């Protein structure tokens, strides 16, 4: 189904929210308000938003260590996300998970995951549950080119193909596993899509920075999954603008001109969608500025919410080890 | 001490066989590797090798006897240096006197009032005799009847009915949607189980053995054990991982090891290790109903052993409760799973010599029932732990540490541990035997802490 202007503006709003949320998370990380590691998704926003735009509320996704974008795209609450990054009691995980463990089970977001490739089999299990449930639910596994080299993706694509599970494997190929170029460590010059043929499932490589291409591929894969025809592998080629992780003083080994090239308006997924909407007369500069202000206000409110929330009480450390 | 040669199991599922032929007679000198008998089942004829060295004293089962149950004593071998006619351990039960040096508990006056040690309400109803594998199967079948969200998944659990035949009949009764054969992909199906649990189902994941679950340990620990905590209590993983753990027979290092300490170490996991059919059934049923990930460490060599099991489908054994299986006043002996075989045999031998052991079957390794252990130690003032696992950082290590920390003043002797030897499991039968603990070592350990 072609995307109408209202839907596209909503998608743009979500993409801009992801970007602004992470710009703030990065700034607050360097300001010492957020600890540990923050992995930014900036530059890859079209994938999470395009795929989740093809899903229903009851569908389930799993994310990676780079998980803020998937959370926001699946409808997670910004206040509780930011409070979690701040390590506060009102965060999604009561301040005990942090950036790499944000989950919202009510929204079907089964969690970011701190282990590369660690989520793939979990969400394949959600697909098995959906199939046994028989109500047409589907599951999406987001993973990176780094995880494509680990065992779980092979184990799970094999099972999902053999059992025709309703799942879409979405490889966000940003071309680097941390600092290591995929082209030097992943067979076939770093292209992952070819794996699909080995399992006899459809595989499609798309421009991950083109929201239309992402959404169209996801819709087709979701329709197949809902119809009981099994999994699809989507390789969405993209690039992350920021370093592997926000960590002061760590060099980014990627070529400067390569990084800058991916930020140009003809490659930036947000600029491309803005240009499309403007060209068709569905968005003005003023409207986009207003949208951006709205987004920034929401981020500001989430930070205020986080600041106001208390740190966890010492006794909280002992809660939630076991379910009663 | 004379050695009993037991009817061996020629396959994991063999329960009885025909002792077709003896190749030894009383007086024969045998050494490890000597062929001593031929055994027939409906599937095969096999030669039995000796793992012991000595002189055959007596053949207990005549050649040609049909339906000899696995683990039945079939011959007695006298080791060098022993006088002929020394009674076998089983014949010793009524003999012996208390060793003169057996010290009496000294700290009794300082002991707090003994707390009740009852683990669960005593069962006085009817029982039926089941093997361990039948008890485990019945537990799963009953819980699958009770709750449609429970399903079983693993390698060869459906059509083949389990590598060790624990899932017999389940595919027929519950169909392929609830009894699912997986590919050989432990990480994959363990994680799939966790995801299915997060999505509202209650999976039982069978590992063909816990050795192979090493491939899945990331999912067991990083996903199943931690999700509830990491997600701030939003969602946990109500899942059971089960399969045979510990030493099997003659399968060498990668197929013969005990993971008790590995998993008991992890917050967020519950771990049980039953030693008998009644506990196996009650604990597995409790595990399936538990909202947390529970690991059931079964034992291949115990699958064929039988015992009384309470009748009916409501027999539950609480997770986290140890059981005093034999009361005694001189020394506490704590064990679990197959270690109980050695603990019980040693207690029997020692009783004949006047040393009364209080034998505790842990049943659960996490939560660990230190309360029951400490109460017993405050009474006996001595403790010996018994397990097949390696000695470093073992379950027994933790128990001895806790006893030293919490009951130091009650101890009349340093705690003692009986463990497997600190080497990968060797293949050769004589070495394998040496690598595992036995009842004699338990007897010696108890005597040492009793200064007997």
């Amino acid at each position: 189904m072609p995307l109408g202007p209202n839907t596209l503006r909503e998608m743009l709003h979500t993409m801009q929210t992801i970007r602004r949320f992470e710009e703030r998370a990065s700034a607050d990380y360097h300001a010492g308000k957020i600890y540990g590691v923050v992995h930014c998704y900036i530059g890859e926003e079209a994938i999470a938003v395009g795929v989740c735009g093809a899903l229903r509320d009851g569908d389930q996704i799993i994310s990676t260590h780079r998980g803020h974008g998937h959370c926001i795209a699946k409808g997670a609450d910004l206040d509780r996300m930011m409070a979690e990054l701040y390590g506060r009691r009102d965060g999604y995980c009561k301040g005990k998970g942090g950036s790499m463990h944000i989950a919202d089970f009510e929204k079907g977001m089964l969690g970011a995951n701190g282990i590369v490739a660690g989520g793939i089999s979990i969400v394949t299990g959600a697909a098995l549950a959906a199939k046994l449930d028989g109500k047409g639910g589907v599951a999406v596994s987001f993973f990176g080119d780094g995880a494509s080299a680990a065992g779980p993706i092979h184990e799970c694509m094999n099972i999902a193909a053999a059992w025709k599970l309703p799942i879409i494997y979405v490889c966000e190929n940003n071309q680097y596993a941390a600092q290591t170029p995929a082209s030097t460590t992943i067979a076939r010059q770093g292209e992952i899509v070819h794996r699909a043929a080995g399992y006899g499932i459809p595989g499609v490589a798309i421009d991950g920075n083109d929201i239309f291409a992402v959404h169209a591929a996801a819709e087709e894969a979701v329709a197949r999954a809902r119809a009981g025809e099994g999994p699809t592998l989507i390789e969405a080629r993209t690039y992350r603008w920021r370093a592997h992780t926000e960590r002061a003083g760590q060099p980014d080994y990627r070529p400067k001109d390569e990084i800058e090239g991916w930020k140009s308006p003809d490659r930036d997924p947000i600029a491309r969608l803005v240009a499309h909407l403007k060209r068709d007369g569905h968005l003005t500069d003023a409207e986009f500025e207003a949208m951006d202000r709205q987004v920034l206000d929401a981020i500001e409110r989430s930070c205020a919410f986080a600041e106001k929330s208390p740190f966890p009480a010492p006794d909280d450390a002992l809660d939630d080890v076991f379910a009663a | 001490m004379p050695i009993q040669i037991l009817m061996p199991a020629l396959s994991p599922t063999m329960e009885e066989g025909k002792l077709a032929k003896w190749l030894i007679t009383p007086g024969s000198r045998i050494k490890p590797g000597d062929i001593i008998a031929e055994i027939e089942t409906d599937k095969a004829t096999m030669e039995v090798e000796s793992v012991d060295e000595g002189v055959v004293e007596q053949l207990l089962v005549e050649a040609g006897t049909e339906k000899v149950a696995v683990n039945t004593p079939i011959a007695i071998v006298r080791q060098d240096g022993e006088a002929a006619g020394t009674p076998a351990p089983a014949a010793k039960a009524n003999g012996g006197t208390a060793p003169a040096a057996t010290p009496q508990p000294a700290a009794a006056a300082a002991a707090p009032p003994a707390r009740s040690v009852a683990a669960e309400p005593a069962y006085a109803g009817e029982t039926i005799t089941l093997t361990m594998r039948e008890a485990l199967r019945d537990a799963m079948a009953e819980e699958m009847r009770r709750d449609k969200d429970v399903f079983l998944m693993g390698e060869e659990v459906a059509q083949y009915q389990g590598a060790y035949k624990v899932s017999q009949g389940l595919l027929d009764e519950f169909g392929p949607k609830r009894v699912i054969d997986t590919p050989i992909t432990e990480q994959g199906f363990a994680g799939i189980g966790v995801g299915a649990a997060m999505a509202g189902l209650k999976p039982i994941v069978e590992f063909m053995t816990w050795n192979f679950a090493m491939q899945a340990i990331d999912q067991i620990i990083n996903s199943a054990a931690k999700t509830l905590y990491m997600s701030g209590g939003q969602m946990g993983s109500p899942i059971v991982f089960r399969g045979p753990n510990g030493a099997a027979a003659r399968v060498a290092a990668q197929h013969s090891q005990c993971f008790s300490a590995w998993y008991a170490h992890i917050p967020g996991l519950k771990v049980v290790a039953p030693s008998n059919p009644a506990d196996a059934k009650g604990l597995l049923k409790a595990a399936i109903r538990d909202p947390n990930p529970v690991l059931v460490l079964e034992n291949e060599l115990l699958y064929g052993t039988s015992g009384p099991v309470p009748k009916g489908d409501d027999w539950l054994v609480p997770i986290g409760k140890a059981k005093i299986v034999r009361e005694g006043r001189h020394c506490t002996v704590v064990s679990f799973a197959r270690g109980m075989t050695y603990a019980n045999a040693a207690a029997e031998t020692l009783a004949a010599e006047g040393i009364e052991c209080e034998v505790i079957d842990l049943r659960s390794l996490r939560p660990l029932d230190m309360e029951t252990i400490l109460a017993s130690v405050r009474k006996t003032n001595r403790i010996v732990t018994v397990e097949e696992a390696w000695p470093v950082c073992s379950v027994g290590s933790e128990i001895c540490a806790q006893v030293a920390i919490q009951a130091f003043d009650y101890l009349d002797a340093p705690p003692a541990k009986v463990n497997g030897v600190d080497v990968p499991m060797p293949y050769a039968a004589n070495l394998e035997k040496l690598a595992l603990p036995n009842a004699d070592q338990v007897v010696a350990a108890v005597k040492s802490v009793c200064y007997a």
Side-chain angles (χ1 to χ4, degrees):
Chain A
M1 202 195 308
L3 296 165
N6 289 337
T7 306
L8 286 171
R9 277 193 298 262
E10 275 172 33
M11 287 177 143
L12 178 63
H13 186 276
T14 309
M15 288 164 73
Q16 188 69 4
T17 302
I18 294 169
R19 183 163 295 183
R20 292 299 196 193
F21 181 92
E22 290 199 325
E23 285 171 355
R24 183 58 181 265
S26 169
D28 284 358
Y29 178 89
H30 293 287
K33 291 182 179 177
I34 294 173
Y35 309 95
V37 285
V38 168
H39 301 95
C40 285
Y41 189 67
I42 293 174
E44 308 181 22
E45 299 93 339
I47 305 170
V49 175
V51 171
C52 291
L55 299 178
R56 296 179 191 155
D57 278 351
D59 294 334
Q60 318 226 46
I61 68 165
I62 213 156
S63 177
T64 68
H65 55 288
R66 200 174 302 289
H68 310 138
H70 308 119
C71 285
I72 293 170
K74 197 72 171 75
D77 179 71
L78 296 183
D79 293 357
R80 294 181 67 195
M81 282 182 69
M82 195 62 90
E84 189 57 39
L85 295 187
Y86 275 54
R88 305 301 174 105
R89 209 174 186 177
D90 296 304
Y92 262 110
C93 316
K94 302 178 187 170
K96 297 195 290 189
S99 168
M100 287 189 289
H101 300 299
I102 298 178
D104 185 339
F105 286 87
E106 283 179 14
K107 299 274 186 195
M109 165 56 187
L110 301 182
N113 198 306
I115 305 296
V116 170
I120 296 169
S121 48
I122 297 173
V123 76
T124 304
L128 172 64
K131 185 185 169 88
L132 294 174
D133 190 36
K135 291 182 186 150
V138 308
V140 175
S141 179
F142 290 102
F143 63 102
D145 46 284
S148 81
I153 188 62
H154 299 278
E155 298 190 28
C156 290
M157 281 204 293
N158 176 60
I159 285 188
W163 294 352
K164 287 200 180 304
L165 297 184
I167 186 162
I168 299 101
Y169 294 104
V170 179
C171 179
E172 300 175 320
N173 185 351
N174 66 23
Q175 305 174 50
Y176 287 86
Q179 318 293 342
T180 305
S183 56
T184 66
T185 51
I186 309 277
R188 304 194 66 165
Q189 293 78 46
E191 293 179 353
I192 287 100
V193 66
H194 311 294
R195 315 277 180 84
Y199 299 103
I201 64 173
V204 51
I206 54 167
D207 175 354
N209 288 8
D210 175 354
I211 186 88
F212 298 95
V214 173
H215 187 263
E219 278 221 311
E220 193 180 333
V222 167
R224 283 191 76 248
R226 283 206 212 288
E229 293 167 28
T232 301
L233 171 64
I234 296 173
E235 179 186 351
R237 295 190 179 139
T238 187
Y239 199 83
R240 67 174 147 73
W241 287 13
R242 301 191 59 84
H244 167 58
T245 177
E246 300 300 307
R247 197 167 269 184
Q250 295 293 313
D252 188 338
Y253 291 98
R254 301 175 303 171
K256 285 258 176 315
D257 54 344
E258 180 183 286
I259 300 171
E260 291 311 311
W262 279 91
K263 290 182 181 174
S264 68
D266 61 330
R267 294 172 104 174
D268 171 5
I270 291 180
R272 286 168 70 175
L273 179 53
V274 168
H276 179 95
L277 285 167
K278 279 165 71 175
R279 192 185 61 222
D280 288 359
H282 297 308
L283 188 76
T284 64
D285 284 335
E287 282 169 339
F288 183 54
E289 279 166 28
M291 181 190 285
D292 191 32
R293 273 197 306 279
Q294 207 183 20
V295 166
L296 286 168
D297 285 349
I299 306 294
E300 198 56 47
R301 282 196 303 276
S302 74
C303 292
F305 176 86
E307 291 274 16
K308 224 172 71 187
S309 174
F311 285 105
D315 282 353
D316 292 349
L318 303 178
D319 287 346
D320 299 323
V321 178
F322 289 102
Chain B
M1 183 179 292
I3 297 160
Q4 288 183 338
I5 296 178
L6 305 180
M7 180 73 170
L10 304 178
S11 74
T13 52
M14 173 177 159
E15 285 169 14
E16 59 182 29
K18 177 181 177 184
L19 204 166
K21 187 176 173 187
W22 278 114
L23 300 168
I24 52 173
T25 58
S28 302
R29 172 164 287 280
I30 58 170
K31 59 183 192 304
D34 286 354
I35 311 291
I36 57 170
E38 281 179 13
I39 285 175
E40 289 174 14
T41 66
D42 52 347
K43 297 195 183 79
T45 300
M46 301 276 285
E47 294 174 334
V48 180
E49 290 179 17
S50 175
V51 295
D52 300 302
E53 184 153 7
V55 176
V56 178
E57 182 157 302
Q58 194 183 347
L59 301 180
L60 302 171
V61 174
E62 271 183 56
T65 307
E66 307 258 8
K67 297 190 173 178
V68 181
V70 166
N71 290 336
T72 304
I74 54 175
I76 292 175
V77 174
R78 178 165 36 84
Q79 289 173 305
D80 284 346
E82 285 176 339
T86 306
K92 248 175 124 173
N94 299 318
T97 54
T102 303
Q104 291 307 303
R115 62 177 277 281
S116 163
V117 290
E120 69 246 14
Y123 182 82
E126 267 188 272
T127 61
I128 50 170
T129 300
L130 294 177
T131 62
M132 198 93 151
R133 73 162 54 79
E134 290 165 339
L136 291 162
R137 187 266 321 275
D138 287 359
M140 290 192 283
E142 287 168 15
E143 293 306 301
M144 288 174 78
R145 280 173 214 134
R146 182 177 174 268
D147 183 346
K148 64 175 177 40
D149 287 337
V150 179
F151 72 100
L152 174 67
M153 179 166 67
E155 292 158 8
E156 310 204 321
V157 298
Q159 287 197 340
Y160 191 67
Q161 312 195 88
Y164 298 96
K165 297 286 176 269
V166 175
S167 52
Q168 282 185 75
L170 296 185
L171 176 64
D172 283 348
E173 180 173 353
F174 299 103
K177 275 184 104 174
R178 295 182 68 194
V179 184
I180 303 172
D181 278 331
T182 65
I184 300 171
T185 171
E186 277 77 12
Q187 186 287 141
F189 67 74
I192 286 172
V194 173
M198 287 181 186
L201 299 179
K202 291 176 185 154
I204 304 167
V205 171
E206 174 176 312
F207 291 117
M208 190 177 283
T209 84
W210 278 98
N211 302 288
F212 310 149
M214 295 282 273
Q215 303 265 351
I217 202 165
D218 176 52
Q219 290 300 340
I220 296 168
I221 294 173
N222 271 323
S223 302
K226 295 180 185 170
T227 294
L228 182 73
Y229 192 84
M230 292 191 303
S231 70
Q234 287 184 64
M235 182 69 203
S237 300
I239 186 169
V240 172
F241 295 106
R242 49 156 290 272
N245 172 64
R250 308 288 303 275
V251 287
Q254 290 181 332
H255 283 66
S256 245
Q257 58 197 320
C258 176
F259 291 93
S260 51
W262 294 56
Y263 293 112
H265 185 63
I266 308 299
L269 295 181
K270 294 186 178 181
V271 184
V272 301
S275 69
N276 60 74
D279 284 347
K281 185 177 180 192
L283 284 168
L284 179 52
K285 284 168 70 75
I288 295 166
R289 294 185 193 185
D290 199 283
N292 295 285
V294 183
L295 278 54
V296 183
L297 307 181
E298 300 161 7
N299 188 292
E300 179 188 327
L301 301 176
L302 294 177
Y303 278 143
T305 58
S306 301
V309 178
K311 241 182 163 174
D313 57 8
D314 54 359
W315 172 245
L316 293 171
V317 169
I319 296 172
K321 276 285 177 194
K323 186 175 183 181
I324 295 178
V325 297
R326 180 187 185 112
E327 293 199 18
R329 62 199 168 105
H330 294 135
C331 181
T332 299
V333 177
V334 181
S335 188
F336 59 93
R338 192 151 178 263
M340 285 302 295
T341 314
Y342 317 125
N344 283 327
E348 196 68 28
T349 303
L350 287 159
E353 299 180 22
I355 298 177
E356 294 166 19
C357 295
E358 179 140 298
V359 182
I360 297 176
D361 186 345
L362 286 174
R363 308 192 296 184
S364 293
L365 307 179
R366 179 184 269 265
L368 193 56
D369 184 3
M370 279 310 301
E371 210 175 353
T372 294
I373 298 167
L374 289 166
S376 177
V377 169
R378 288 183 186 121
K379 183 173 87 173
T380 65
N381 312 106
R382 295 171 172 82
I383 182 164
V384 171
T385 62
V386 182
E387 61 191 322
E388 290 190 332
W390 292 310
V392 179
C393 302
S394 72
V395 170
S397 304
E398 171 65 12
I399 290 170
C400 291
Q402 288 301 327
V403 165
I405 291 164
Q406 298 188 56
F408 185 76
D409 288 342
Y410 292 91
L411 287 174
D412 284 350
K417 290 171 63 193
V418 176
N419 284 85
V421 177
D422 202 12
V423 295
M425 184 64 75
Y427 167 70
N430 60 329
L431 296 184
E432 180 184 76
K433 193 177 172 204
L434 288 170
L436 288 168
N438 57 44
D440 289 348
Q441 289 170 1
V442 180
V443 167
V446 170
K447 284 184 175 175
S448 81
V449 302
C450 290
Y451 305 114

